[in-house]
């Protein structure tokens, strides 16, 4: 038997569907023995499952000596042991009493199972913070020390109660009471978060409920105390301490531990309380995101549970979504804080709409999408989301900090760097900024004995790295600088400055909760530093606003108000044309644009532009940001020419500052192209779009969503240019980038590309494939918006339309009537579209009067929601014209058709079915109006084009054309 | 320290210098153990995560600067192999204990076993090691992937970057490797 052949056959067979395999093997295998081998491998493949999927944990004994036997202690310092309470993952726990007779105090003593040298030191560091946690629902950390055997222990407030899961099982509260209990837990967690303490190890056995029903959280901050020094130890080590069922994915992946980490654990606990089971039951341990199946919504998970039925605890709809958002594996999709989580639960209890929504390019996308549905087109909305998430103005914060008291040392240092950069030392080649900074970085070690200067310069170089667009390097340096955060020799204002920089970069990386924590610490440091840190104080306040601004449920009007207040203060303190004021304006612009106050946003950005130009020069990052937001604002106001000018200017400046393929530059270039398309220049845009795509390709791994969007937009451009096959392959590429590990596109993020794919297939005349794709988008939309709404119903309308094109009239009418009814009172743009599709279906089914009513309504809605010239308006225009023709009113039809044609041609080419269908109707109208010469000329123009097309729709149109002859 | 390891890596990866390779392997093996002990001491946990260790060893030995890709790929392959050695050495010791060796404090370690997801019993690890050695002779590329992923704890994305092989191919290789090993370990499948 040939081993290589068996392997090759096996490798091929695993890609086949199971039901295809037998035939294929029978055909390909040389003999029975070979086939038996391949089949054995296939069986092994099917049974392998989790085999080898979990790396082996290295057990202590593998690397260290024998663990020492330890007996049961009777005292811990001043505490006398009453009895053992239990053994946990970290060690044994005892109930103890204070022994000095002064007062009775019962404590829980936790002794660690394994020697941990750094622990006491960390304990002392953390203790101040932990002791600050005074909350009715948090068990306090009281003391800690070494026992007689030299083993460290912790003493905590003793709570006489049971784990929350037990309490709920015993007391069986109804849904409302259960949620209210849970809200008290959230409040405690939120309180701790406000004090900058993340629990990291929340689980039912750490959430006790006392006999009178009061929840108490145990072990707050303990995981942190137990963890190694945060500056250099990977968090994975800590993760091994945790209970895998409740630890968030980032705790295993080495991701940032943030308030969202606790939100995850809270979410899992709530899920379990509601359903009695764990959401990721089969995914214990450090499985990484893609390997884990999505959890069932709690309602489905608890559907068959008797307990849930009898206690009326069956959660539904919004509560499902709230829980699923809380336990999202991707931390950035979760609620940013326990408070946001609690707020949604409260809204649910009050019957108000909740912010949780799995549509999920985030709240800002929804906000943008809601505001911009029509004038800009859907493609813009997608990009708008990416850009809305882009920071404005914050980069400016990192500038002009150079005037520190240590300017002398800094100057010498920089002089040294520049001297190195002189022609003698760099072999005559001019050095790039990046090389210069690398040299500088290498020399940082020179200041090892002077931590203040080292910290200051580290931050400075980090800021410069960011300015030249290397955020990764900047962040690495700032993390390095974090090591000095407790060093008393480094002044608070330097710490504040570096913390602000860190916060801003974290925010740029969309780690908003990490950003908030650093920004708050920065403010704390700046306030401690006093007057010398006035600038840092302002920076920190701005950073906090910017970091919280990205979270779910933000009220941008309120952010704008706060920004105005800070602006006024800074104008008074630093002067009206100061860099501080420019930064405040940057923040204000973001808030105003997001709040829909475009005019005010553009004005503020123009003012910032003037100041930044004077401060940093016309070719600076700050100026490019201002230009970008001017462009965005003008775009929203439909001033396309103005937007184009601003964005082109921005792209040019960014190309200078960062290079053509930097992500900032790409943002600007993307928008320039969109604006050009909005101005109708599709054909000219196409080569530029392909060029842009080339520059985006390198982001395939780091930012696949952006690349997928780029292909999606490319496909949309092809559709407009009538190049359907190319459109199809672009959409398929977009889908391939978005596909999950298993190669399927089951996420709502794939809906747009699937929808565009369906459009392209439909225009190619491949109806059954188009229908299949459309049914999938509909399913995704329904799953994402289970309560209905514009998106699923718009999808349903599209499905109806593709059914109509296949002459499946009854099915088409079914879907379209349902969608039209559901969209009453919904988005007018979508309702107008669906009414137009319904009208055509009624016509094709032979109901001209119903068609006329639907088309009239469709155009009415379209006129009310779209400006003349909007391409989507062509659908109700055409539908109504067809209805008028069916009613023998060619005079009414003609102007409608002319308007539709003006909208569609250009940009669509002459052979595009969307142009041809209008012209066919126009022939009909002209004939009816007794203008045979014009009709004949038009007929002669389109008939060959229709005959040349192989699509079923072309045949339909030919038939329609023939009917009048 | 980073300096001479760098030289070793270069010697070992460039010219196929067997002595340098052996020296480097021993160095990595020792370093992994040192790092593991240190982590154990500071984490309070009884178990360690091999992924973290492998990365830490890289930073420690090769320095934090980005290396050229070939050197990095080589280093990680070596580290994963060393990790395999450590895990298997331990599994062997433990299997011996179970077969009537000394009654060490295994119980106390087992108390923490519930937090260890997916740990393989010692004898299964030993059988895996044998199967892997066999696979190595038949298809070294698959065996290397198993070392990197299972023992080294590297993710597919990272391996893809290191070896310049597409994630798609790697995922398929992974599936093939698993099936082959599974057949070796469960001949009656």
């Amino acid at each position: 038997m040939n081993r290589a052949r068996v392997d090759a056959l096996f490798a091929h067979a695993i890609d086949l569907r199971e039901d295809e395999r037998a035939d294929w093997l029978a055909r390909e295998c040389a003999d029975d023995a070979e086939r038996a081998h391949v089949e054995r491998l296939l069986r092994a493949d099917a049974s392998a499952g989790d085999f080898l999927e979990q790396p082996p944990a290295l057990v202590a004994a593998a690397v260290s000596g024998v663990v020492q036997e330890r007996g049961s202690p009777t005292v811990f310092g001043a505490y006398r042991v009453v009895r053992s309470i239990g053994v946990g993952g970290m060690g044994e726990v005892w109930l103890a009493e204070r022994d000095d007779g002064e007062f009775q105090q019962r404590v829980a003593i936790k002794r660690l199972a394994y020697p941990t040298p750094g622990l006491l030191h960390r304990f002392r560091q953390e203790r101040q913070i932990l002791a600050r946690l005074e909350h009715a629902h948090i068990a306090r950390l009281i003391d800690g020390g070494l026992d007689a055997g030299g083993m460290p222990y912790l003493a905590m407030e003793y709570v006489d109660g049971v784990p929350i899961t037990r309490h709920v099982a015993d007391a069986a509260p109804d849904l409302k009471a259960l949620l209210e209990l849970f809200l008290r837990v959230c409040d405690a967690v939120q309180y701790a978060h406000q004090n900058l303490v993340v629990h990291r190890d929340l689980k039912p056995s750490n959430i006790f409920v006392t006999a009178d029903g009061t929840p108490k959280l145990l072990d707050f901050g303990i995981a942190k105390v137990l963890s190694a020094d945060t500056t250099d130890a990977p968090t994975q080590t800590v993760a091994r301490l945790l209970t895998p069922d409740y630890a968030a994915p980032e705790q295993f992946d080495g991701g940032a531990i943030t308030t969202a980490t606790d939100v995850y654990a809270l979410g899992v606990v709530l899920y379990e309380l509601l359903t009695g089971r764990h959401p990721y039951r089969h995914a214990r341990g450090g499985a990484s995101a893609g390997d884990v199946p999505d959890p069932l919504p709690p309602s489905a998970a608890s559907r068959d549970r008797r307990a849930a039925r009898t206690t009326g605890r069956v959660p539904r709809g919004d509560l499902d979504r709230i829980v699923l958002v809380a336990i999202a594996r991707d931390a950035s999709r979760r609620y940013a804080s326990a408070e946001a989580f609690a707020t949604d639960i409260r809204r649910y209890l009050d019957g108000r709409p909740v912010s949780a929504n799995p549509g999920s390019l985030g709240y800002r996308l929804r906000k943008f999408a809601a505001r911009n549905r029509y004038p800009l087109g859907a493609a813009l909305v997608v990009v708008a989301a990416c850009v809305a998430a882009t920071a404005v103005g914050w980069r400016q914060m990192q500038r002009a900090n150079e005037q520190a008291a240590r300017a002398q040392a800094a100057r010498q240092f920089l002089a040294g760097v520049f001297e190195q950069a002189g022609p003698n030392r760099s072999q005559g080649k001019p050095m790039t900024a990046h090389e210069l900074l690398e040299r500088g970085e290498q020399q940082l070690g020179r200041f090892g004995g002077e931590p203040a200067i080292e910290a200051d310069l580290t931050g400075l170089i980090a800021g410069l790295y960011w300015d030249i667009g290397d955020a990764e390097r900047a962040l690495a340096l700032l993390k390095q600088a974090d090591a000095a955060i407790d060093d008393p020799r480094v002044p608070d204002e330097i710490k504040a400055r570096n913390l602000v920089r860190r916060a801003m970069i974290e925010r740029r990386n969309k780690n908003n909760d990490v950003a908030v924590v650093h920004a708050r610490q920065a403010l704390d440091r700046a306030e401690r530093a006093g007057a010398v840190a006035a600038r840092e104080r302002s920076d920190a306040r701005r950073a906090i606003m910017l970091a919280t601004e990205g979270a779910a449920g933000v009220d941008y009007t309120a952010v704008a108000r706060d920004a105005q207040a800070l602006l006024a203060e800074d104008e008074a303190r630093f002067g009206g044309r100061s860099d501080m004021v420019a930064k405040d304006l940057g923040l204000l612009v973001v808030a105003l644009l997001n709040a829909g106050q475009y005019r005010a946003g553009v004005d503020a950005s123009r003012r910032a532009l003037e100041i930044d130009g004077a401060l940093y020069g016309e070719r600076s990052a700050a100026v490019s940001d201002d230009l970008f937001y001017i462009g965005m604002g003008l775009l929203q106001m439909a001033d396309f020419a103005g937007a184009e000018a601003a964005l082109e200017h921005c792209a040019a400046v960014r190309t200078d500052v960062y290079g053509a393929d930097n992500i900032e530059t790409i943002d600007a270039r993307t928008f320039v192209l969109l604006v050009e398309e909005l101005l109708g220049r599709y054909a000219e845009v196409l080569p530029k779009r392909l060029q842009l795509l080339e520059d985006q390709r390198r982001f395939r791994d780091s930012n696949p969503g952006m690349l997928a969007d780029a292909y999606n937009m490319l496909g949309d451009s092809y559709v407009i240019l009538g190049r359907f096959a190319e459109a199809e392959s672009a959409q398929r590429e977009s889908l391939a980038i978005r596909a999950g590990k298993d190669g399927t596109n089951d996420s709502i993020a794939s809906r747009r590309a699937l929808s565009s794919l369906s459009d392209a297939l439909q225009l190619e005349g491949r109806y059954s494939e188009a229908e299949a794709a459309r049914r999938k988008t509909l399913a995704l939309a329904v799953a994402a918006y289970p309560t209905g709404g514009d998106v699923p119903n718009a999808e349903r309308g599209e499905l109806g339309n593709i059914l109509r094109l296949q002459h499946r009239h009854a099915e088409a009418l079914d879907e379209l009537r349902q969608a039209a009814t559901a969209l009453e009172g919904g988005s007018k743009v979508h309702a107008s579209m669906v009414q137009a599709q319904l009208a055509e279906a009624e016509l094709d089914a032979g109901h001209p009067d119903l068609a006329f009513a639907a088309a009239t309504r469709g155009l009415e809605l379209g006129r009310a929601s779209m400006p003349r010239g909007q391409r989507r308006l062509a659908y109700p225009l055409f539908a109504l014209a067809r209805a008028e023709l069916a009613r023998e009113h060619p005079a009414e039809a003609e102007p409608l058709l002319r308007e539709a044609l003006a909208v569609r041609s250009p940009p669509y080419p002459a052979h595009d079915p969307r142009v041809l269908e209008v012209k066919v109707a126009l022939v009909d109208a002209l004939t009816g109006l007794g203008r045979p010469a014009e009709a004949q000329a038009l007929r002669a123009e389109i008939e060959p084009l229709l005959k040349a097309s192989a699509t079923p729709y072309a045949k339909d149109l030919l038939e329609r054309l023939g009917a009048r002859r | 320290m980073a300096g001479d390891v760098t030289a070793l890596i270069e010697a070992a990866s460039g010219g196929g210098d067997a002595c340098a390779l052996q020296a480097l392997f021993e160095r990595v093996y020792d370093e992994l153990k040192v790092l593991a002990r240190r982590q154990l001491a500071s984490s309070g946990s009884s178990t360690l995560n091999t992924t973290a260790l492998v990365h830490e060893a890289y930073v420690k030995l090769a320095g934090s600067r980005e290396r050229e890709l070939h050197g990095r790929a080589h280093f990680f392959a070596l580290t994963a192999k060393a990790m395999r050695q450590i895990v298997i050495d331990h599994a062997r010791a433990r299997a011996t204990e179970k077969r009537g060796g000394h009654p060490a404090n295994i119980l106390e370690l087992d108390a923490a076993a519930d937090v260890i997801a997916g740990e393989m019993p010692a004898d299964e690890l030993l059988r895996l090691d044998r199967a892997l050695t066999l696979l190595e002779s038949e298809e070294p590329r698959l065996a290397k992937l198993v070392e990197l992923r299972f023992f080294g704890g590297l993710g597919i994305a990272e391996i893809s970057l290191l070896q310049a092989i597409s994630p798609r191919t790697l995922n398929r290789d992974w599936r093939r490797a698993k099936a082959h090993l599974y057949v070796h370990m469960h001949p009656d499948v």
Side-chain angles (χ1 to χ4, degrees):
Chain A
M1 180 206 62
N2 181 338
R3 202 195 159 280
R5 234 187 90 77
V6 167
D7 196 52
L9 288 167
F10 165 62
H12 189 273
I14 52 179
D15 283 343
L16 297 176
R17 284 206 321 268
E18 261 172 67
D19 55 339
E20 299 168 346
R21 283 180 187 165
D23 284 350
W24 187 82
L25 288 175
R27 213 165 47 240
E28 299 291 327
C29 290
D31 52 41
D32 284 354
E34 188 172 84
R35 184 168 171 187
H37 271 100
V38 178
E39 280 175 344
R40 201 149 74 106
L41 283 171
L42 285 170
R43 279 196 304 278
D45 175 59
S47 354
D50 283 347
F51 175 62
L52 298 187
E53 293 296 344
Q54 297 287 352
L58 199 54
V59 198
V63 288
S64 59
V66 177
V67 180
Q68 283 176 10
E69 185 69 28
R70 288 185 299 274
S72 214
T74 51
V75 291
F76 287 95
Y79 303 95
R80 188 177 50 79
V81 170
V82 177
R83 62 183 156 87
S84 170
I85 306 176
V87 180
M90 303 171 189
E92 195 164 357
V93 187
W94 291 270
L95 169 63
E97 284 174 346
R98 190 153 171 131
D99 216 15
D100 59 7
E102 276 178 35
F103 53 88
Q104 285 284 74
Q105 188 180 19
R106 305 188 105 194
V107 297
I109 299 270
K110 204 163 243 199
R111 189 179 72 177
L112 296 153
Y114 300 97
T116 57
L119 179 113
L120 276 186
H121 175 64
R122 284 194 298 281
F123 173 68
R124 283 186 208 108
Q125 278 187 337
E126 289 295 313
R127 202 183 140 178
Q128 275 186 309
I129 300 172
L130 296 180
R132 271 214 315 260
L133 291 186
E134 295 220 15
H135 189 277
H137 301 325
I138 296 179
R140 286 177 48 224
L141 174 62
I142 294 165
D143 206 350
L146 297 177
D147 73 357
M151 301 297 296
Y153 68 85
L154 304 167
M156 277 156 291
E157 178 185 342
Y158 173 70
V159 178
D160 193 5
V162 296
I164 190 165
T165 35
R166 248 255 326 269
H167 168 81
V168 166
D170 294 347
D174 63 16
L175 182 62
K176 184 162 180 292
L178 183 142
L179 290 177
E180 277 163 359
L181 172 70
F182 186 76
L183 282 172
R184 291 161 83 188
V185 174
C186 290
D187 284 345
V189 174
Q190 175 64 18
Y191 167 84
H193 287 177
Q194 282 163 350
N195 282 279
L196 303 179
V197 180
V198 176
H199 192 296
R200 296 165 179 238
D201 192 20
L202 282 170
K203 54 189 172 187
S205 59
N206 273 337
I207 307 173
F208 265 47
V209 181
T210 60
D212 66 355
T214 310
K216 279 267 190 189
L217 302 186
L218 312 182
D219 287 1
F220 238 110
I222 302 301
K224 172 85 179 295
V225 173
L226 293 177
S227 81
D229 196 346
T230 49
T231 52
D232 66 25
T235 37
Q236 282 99 326
T237 326
V238 187
R240 286 293 168 187
L241 267 163
L242 305 171
T243 320
D245 278 348
Y246 301 93
E250 63 267 24
Q251 290 174 287
F252 295 102
D253 299 346
I257 306 298
T258 69
T259 51
T261 307
D262 283 351
V263 169
Y264 176 89
L266 281 173
V268 174
V269 170
L270 179 55
Y271 189 107
E272 205 169 324
L273 293 178
L274 290 170
T275 67
R277 51 191 268 194
H278 188 272
Y280 298 107
R281 170 172 290 177
H282 303 296
R284 290 171 59 93
S288 62
D291 305 334
V292 186
D294 284 334
L296 281 176
S299 56
S302 60
R303 198 161 287 145
D304 57 355
R305 292 188 68 85
R306 196 167 44 86
R309 269 205 305 279
T310 51
T311 55
R313 283 211 309 269
V314 180
R316 273 189 310 272
D318 282 347
L319 188 54
D320 270 357
R321 276 187 271 158
I322 291 172
V323 176
L324 291 178
V325 167
I327 62 172
R329 283 185 297 261
D330 176 357
S332 65
R333 292 187 174 212
R334 277 175 230 150
Y335 294 103
S337 64
E339 189 178 29
F341 186 18
T343 302
D344 251 8
I345 296 175
R346 284 201 184 90
R347 284 198 189 124
Y348 171 80
L349 280 173
D350 297 347
R352 285 179 291 149
V354 303
S355 74
N357 192 315
S360 208
L361 271 172
Y363 179 76
R364 300 150 65 92
L365 168 56
R366 292 193 295 282
K367 192 138 183 155
F368 254 99
R371 285 183 195 291
N372 304 313
R373 196 159 279 130
Y374 70 85
L376 302 178
L380 179 54
V381 173
V382 173
V383 187
C386 309
V387 173
T390 323
V392 63
W394 70 266
R395 203 177 302 108
Q396 301 154 7
M397 286 182 190
Q398 299 173 4
R399 292 198 183 86
N401 278 333
E402 293 87 328
Q403 77 213 31
R406 283 145 302 278
Q408 172 73 16
R411 264 199 299 278
Q412 281 172 358
F413 171 80
L414 287 173
V417 174
F418 281 104
E419 189 190 322
Q420 285 207 347
N424 295 338
R425 305 243 183 142
S426 58
Q427 287 91 39
K429 283 182 295 181
M431 288 184 85
T432 65
H434 203 276
E435 285 166 335
L436 206 58
L437 289 174
E438 279 170 31
R439 292 276 173 102
E441 201 188 326
Q442 281 160 12
Q443 294 189 41
L444 276 174
R446 280 182 16 204
F447 298 94
E450 295 162 273
I453 298 174
E454 190 184 353
D456 201 12
L457 287 174
T458 304
L460 173 65
I461 291 181
L464 292 169
Y465 266 123
W466 171 255
D467 283 344
I468 63 168
D470 188 348
E472 211 175 317
R473 202 63 222 127
L475 188 59
L477 273 178
L478 288 170
K479 283 185 176 163
Q480 205 173 304
D482 253 9
I485 203 67
D486 289 319
D487 190 331
R489 292 169 298 176
V490 179
D492 279 324
E493 67 267 26
I494 293 179
K495 289 174 185 166
R497 209 176 298 152
N498 286 345
L499 284 164
V500 168
R501 290 182 174 124
R502 175 82 190 272
M504 299 321 294
I505 295 194
E506 296 287 3
R507 175 178 182 273
R508 180 64 172 90
N509 291 346
K510 310 212 171 124
N511 297 323
N512 279 5
D513 359 279
V514 187
V516 171
V517 171
H518 284 96
R520 293 223 168 100
Q521 285 176 349
L523 183 58
D524 183 42
R525 293 285 177 182
E527 274 169 354
R528 269 193 248 174
V532 295
R535 297 174 57 85
E536 285 76 10
R537 206 171 143 263
S538 171
D539 283 344
R541 285 175 62 188
R542 207 175 302 114
I544 292 172
M545 279 187 241
L546 276 166
T548 36
E549 169 260 347
V554 164
D555 173 1
Y556 285 102
T557 314
V559 177
R561 217 168 28 238
D562 291 349
Q564 289 275 19
L566 184 61
L567 176 68
E569 276 179 50
D570 283 347
E571 276 174 338
R573 188 179 296 120
F574 302 106
R577 298 184 60 82
S578 63
D579 57 334
M580 286 289 155
V581 165
K583 294 179 199 178
D584 293 336
L585 284 167
L587 171 62
L588 180 61
V589 168
V590 173
L592 288 172
L593 291 183
N594 278 302
Q597 300 175 39
Y598 305 124
R599 163 63 58 198
V602 168
D603 288 347
S605 202
R606 288 207 166 112
R607 198 181 147 201
L609 177 68
E610 211 185 301
I611 302 172
D612 284 333
L615 286 172
Y616 309 113
E618 295 302 327
R619 298 256 150 198
S620 62
V623 161
S624 85
D625 288 347
D626 298 329
L627 286 166
F628 185 82
Y629 282 89
I630 291 172
M632 288 302 296
L634 292 175
L635 196 50
Q636 307 291 352
M637 293 155 66
D639 176 358
F640 298 140
E644 187 192 17
L647 289 167
E648 266 190 340
H649 190 176
C650 168
V653 173
R654 284 188 176 171
T655 304
D656 268 14
V657 175
Y658 304 118
D661 66 347
N662 180 278
I663 188 135
E664 307 284 341
T665 314
I666 284 173
D667 270 351
R669 289 170 65 195
T670 303
F671 270 97
V672 170
L673 297 189
L674 276 166
V675 176
E676 285 195 48
E677 286 190 341
L678 289 167
L679 287 164
R681 305 203 290 259
Y682 293 94
E684 294 139 74
V685 168
L686 190 65
K688 296 186 201 169
R689 200 172 269 300
L690 290 168
Q691 176 56 47
L692 178 61
L693 200 60
E694 278 308 308
D695 288 336
Q696 285 173 300
R697 246 187 257 285
R698 72 187 181 93
F699 294 98
R700 191 179 186 109
D701 289 324
S702 60
N703 199 344
M706 177 185 79
L707 192 61
D709 286 343
Y711 272 105
N712 184 224
M713 283 187 274
L714 175 67
D716 288 347
S717 300
Y718 275 129
V719 159
I720 283 167
L721 292 168
R723 293 161 66 169
F724 306 132
E726 286 151 297
E728 184 196 335
S729 54
Q731 302 301 357
R732 291 202 191 277
E733 185 62 33
S734 175
L735 287 168
I737 295 167
R738 283 216 192 272
K741 272 191 180 166
D742 53 353
T744 57
N745 287 89
D746 292 334
S747 149
I748 185 72
S750 296
R751 186 185 66 87
R752 265 192 47 76
L754 266 171
S755 168
S756 302
L757 175 66
S758 176
D759 290 344
L761 290 167
Q762 177 186 319
L763 288 162
E764 284 183 277
R766 285 155 58 185
Y767 294 152
S768 61
E769 289 163 88
E771 183 190 334
R774 186 59 67 190
R775 287 198 187 273
K776 193 155 177 192
T777 61
L778 176 59
L780 288 177
V782 168
Y785 307 93
T787 52
D790 298 340
V791 177
N793 286 302
E795 293 287 2
R796 190 175 298 289
E798 294 292 346
L799 175 62
N801 196 47
I802 184 76
L803 291 168
R804 171 183 75 86
L805 288 169
Q806 297 174 82
H807 303 269
R808 285 151 67 183
H809 299 307
E811 286 169 79
L813 284 173
D814 243 24
E815 302 289 352
L816 282 162
R817 284 179 184 156
Q818 187 187 335
T821 310
L823 277 168
E824 286 294 332
S827 148
K828 286 181 180 163
V829 177
H830 286 139
S832 146
M833 183 74 175
V834 169
Q835 291 287 359
Q837 290 165 331
L838 174 60
E840 287 208 78
E842 298 283 12
L843 273 176
D844 291 359
H847 313 141
D849 292 334
L850 290 175
F852 180 72
T856 306
R857 177 81 185 123
L859 188 56
E860 198 178 289
L861 289 162
R863 293 268 191 231
S865 58
M866 293 181 261
R868 263 183 102 83
Q870 171 69 30
R871 215 161 29 248
R872 297 187 80 156
L873 206 48
Y875 293 92
L877 284 167
F878 175 65
L880 184 56
R882 275 193 72 196
E884 293 284 15
L885 287 171
R887 289 154 40 100
E888 307 288 345
H889 292 163
E892 273 75 26
E894 191 196 355
L896 297 170
L897 290 168
R898 300 263 177 217
E899 190 184 339
L901 201 56
V903 173
R904 285 184 173 174
S905 174
Y908 305 151
H911 69 268
D912 192 300
R914 292 162 295 184
V915 173
L916 289 171
E917 66 181 5
V918 180
K919 288 185 176 168
V920 167
L922 199 50
V923 170
D924 194 353
L926 292 170
T927 311
L929 285 167
R931 286 146 64 185
E934 286 171 72
Q936 189 45 44
L938 193 54
R939 182 195 300 272
E941 178 196 327
I942 57 178
E943 209 159 19
L945 292 172
L946 285 170
K947 283 180 175 155
S949 168
T951 68
Y953 191 49
K955 274 199 201 76
D956 290 349
L957 289 177
L958 268 175
E959 211 167 283
R960 239 181 252 167
L961 195 60
R964 277 283 166 180
R965 198 183 280 275
Chain B
M1 164 176 279
D4 59 34
V5 171
T6 304
L8 281 177
I9 292 178
E10 269 150 25
S13 63
D17 179 338
C19 279
L21 189 64
Q22 185 55 34
L24 185 60
F25 183 83
E26 281 166 17
R27 193 63 182 278
V28 171
Y29 184 96
D30 289 346
E31 189 60 40
L32 278 173
K33 284 200 145 196
V34 170
L35 288 172
R37 268 187 221 115
R38 212 192 65 201
Q39 271 196 24
L40 276 173
S42 66
S43 72
S45 166
S46 68
T47 60
L48 288 168
N49 173 310
T50 48
T51 307
L53 276 177
V54 166
H55 283 88
E56 211 179 332
Y58 175 74
V59 172
K60 186 80 188 297
L61 289 170
S64 58
R65 307 228 126 251
E66 286 293 294
R67 313 197 58 78
E68 51 87 25
L69 207 55
H70 182 65
R72 276 179 60 190
H74 192 73
F75 182 90
F76 274 111
L78 202 71
T79 313
K81 198 175 265 307
M83 186 57 80
R84 171 180 169 191
Q85 192 72 53
I86 291 174
V87 170
I88 296 304
D89 285 352
H90 171 61
R92 199 164 286 132
R94 199 153 156 185
T96 315
E97 279 165 8
K98 277 206 175 140
R99 284 193 293 272
H102 34 91
N105 293 283
I106 299 299
L107 270 186
E108 194 153 359
L109 291 171
D110 282 348
D114 63 330
V115 303
I116 311 167
E119 199 203 349
M120 268 192 189
D123 47 351
E124 211 179 319
L125 273 170
L126 294 179
R127 283 197 294 135
L128 171 68
D129 186 52
R130 281 192 293 275
L132 193 56
T133 307
L134 206 62
L135 184 63
E136 220 156 12
S137 65
E138 293 165 350
E139 252 189 282
R141 193 162 67 107
L142 296 192
K144 191 171 178 185
L145 174 61
V146 174
E147 276 182 351
L148 284 170
R149 184 149 189 214
F150 182 70
F151 289 103
L154 302 192
I156 286 290
E158 201 171 358
I159 300 174
S160 160
L161 215 67
L162 283 172
Q163 305 202 323
I165 299 177
S166 78
R168 203 185 133 87
T169 305
L170 284 174
N171 275 317
R172 175 200 292 265
D173 284 354
W174 177 241
R175 223 168 134 184
R176 285 170 54 212
K178 271 175 64 172
H180 281 299
L181 293 173
Y182 197 85
V183 164
H184 280 307
M185 293 174 68
H186 305 88
D188 52 334
V189 67

